[in-house]
Amino acid sequence: MNKIEYRLMSAIVLLALTFENYISVGASYSLAAAASANTYYVSVTGDDSNPGTESAPWRTIQKAVDTVADESTVTVMAGNYSEAIDLEKSNIRFIATGTVIMEGFTVAGDNNEVNGFTITNPDSNYGIMVSGNNNLIEDNEIY
């Protein structure tokens, strides 16, 4: 391999590695940005007229979906939530703390995270349906 071929091959490898890192880091970058933004809370002892703070949480997950802006984190406290969530927004993190039992998620937005939920008796043939891009669905149980 001569010097020109070597440089060309090096440039191709560098481009391939850069593109691969861009694809794999893209979703985590958005989610990391979301982690540092506003955090809201949902609890079975909350009230949807509350501001969604840790000391005055909302009652329903859907209230959080309807209220929060991009790059927000919604922490859902342990309990049973009789609701299936439709999420069409992007860049939102839903993190379950403790055992959070609910009926499912439909995720149509992009760069969202759904983490740690227990989905039982879903309303449809799926527990979590995803049609958006770069969503992270992790550590959920569906049965």
Side-chain angles (χ1 to χ4, degrees):
M1 184 180 295
N2 66 32
K3 202 175 212 181
I4 293 174
E5 289 176 47
Y6 178 78
R7 287 183 180 166
L8 182 59
M9 184 61 88
S10 297
I12 291 170
V13 169
L14 180 62
L15 283 172
L17 290 173
T18 301
F19 186 67
E20 178 184 11
N21 286 338
Y22 174 76
I23 289 173
S24 64
V25 172
S28 61
Y29 173 77
S30 295
L31 295 173
S36 65
N38 293 328
T39 300
Y40 299 92
Y41 296 85
V42 176
S43 172
V44 293
T45 60
D47 188 307
D48 282 348
S49 64
N50 287 343
T53 62
E54 188 171 13
S55 60
W58 290 312
R59 168 64 182 91
T60 62
I61 302 167
Q62 191 64 52
K63 170 65 176 176
V65 170
D66 295 342
T67 306
V68 302
D70 282 3
E71 299 189 1
S72 293
T73 298
V74 177
T75 301
V76 182
M77 309 307 283
N80 293 319
Y81 298 84
S82 297
E83 56 184 315
I85 302 307
D86 291 318
L87 177 61
E88 295 183 10
K89 294 181 178 181
S90 297
N91 302 308
I92 312 268
R93 299 178 76 220
F94 288 89
I95 309 297
T97 57
T99 302
V100 175
I101 300 171
M102 47 133 14
E103 296 173 4
F105 278 90
T106 300
V107 181
D110 300 327
N111 301 313
N112 294 299
E113 179 178 349
V114 176
N115 188 312
F117 291 85
T118 300
I119 312 296
T120 61
N121 303 316
D123 288 340
S124 56
N125 294 331
Y126 54 84
I128 301 175
M129 184 173 93
V130 179
S131 61
N133 297 303
N134 298 320
N135 290 293
L136 177 62
I137 310 300
E138 184 174 56
D139 296 328
N140 299 287
E141 294 181 19
I142 303 170
Y143 56 94

